[in-house]
Amino acid sequence: SLLGAFCSIYHTAGLTLISHTLKKLGKPLGIHGVAGSGGITIAPLFAGILAASFGWRSVYLVLALIAAAGFFYLLFNTSIPTGSVVERTQPATSRKSMVPFFIVLIIIIILTGFVYRSFLTIFPTYLRYTFKKILAVGAIFLSEKIIKN
């Protein structure tokens, strides 16, 4: 539970650091998003290889070592900006005019969450059962071809 608690801090702090210290946000936020998606893709493979080779505890040990290295890097790195916020000018908007956009945003976020969770939890199970059916149909088709010849 400690791992989950500390990992959940990252998005708040990381995105705040990016958005408050950089003037142009598009490319850095894009790189951040792609790297996060890449991590979700590669992490199970990496963890599986480590667990199969050295046991499940090795996965947590490697994660702890990476986190400790990052901690000490940030602790002793003096080039990281502190307390500086990039000023941005924004047009004045009323709260009432933002409500429809906020509702659409919330709906999109909810639907994206469903799709994301589905692909991480339901889709692998679906593929496993579908793949078995495809193999069965292929085996039947192949056996009919062999019998006819």
Side-chain angles (χ1 to χ4, degrees):
S1 64
L2 271 177
L3 181 64
F6 285 110
C7 287
S8 66
I9 293 171
Y10 167 74
H11 285 289
T12 307
L15 291 173
T16 301
L17 183 64
I18 291 171
S19 64
H20 283 206
T21 57
L22 302 172
K23 289 183 180 182
K24 294 184 177 182
L25 298 178
K27 188 174 181 179
L29 288 175
I31 291 170
H32 179 268
V34 169
S37 297
I40 289 174
T41 304
I42 295 170
L45 176 66
F46 177 71
I49 291 170
L50 268 178
S53 301
F54 305 106
W56 65 269
R57 288 182 177 97
S58 65
V59 177
Y60 290 98
L61 178 63
V62 168
L63 289 174
L65 292 174
I66 292 170
F71 172 76
F72 286 113
Y73 172 75
L74 292 174
L75 184 65
F76 295 112
N77 187 354
T78 58
S79 66
I80 296 174
T82 57
S84 65
V85 175
V86 176
E87 294 293 327
R88 291 187 181 85
T89 57
Q90 296 178 349
T93 56
S94 69
R95 285 187 173 209
K96 283 186 178 182
S97 67
M98 296 303 291
V99 169
F101 297 109
F102 184 70
I103 291 171
V104 169
L105 177 67
I106 293 298
I107 291 169
I108 290 171
I109 290 170
I110 290 170
L111 293 176
T112 304
F114 282 130
V115 171
Y116 176 77
R117 272 290 150 204
S118 296
F119 272 98
L120 287 181
T121 57
I122 298 168
F123 195 59
T125 305
Y126 171 77
L127 285 179
R128 183 175 57 213
Y129 289 118
T130 304
F131 189 66
K132 285 180 183 178
K133 289 178 185 176
I134 290 170
L135 284 179
V137 170
I140 292 169
F141 179 74
L142 186 60
S143 65
E144 286 178 3
K145 288 286 188 183
I146 292 171
I147 292 172
K148 286 182 181 179
N149 291 334

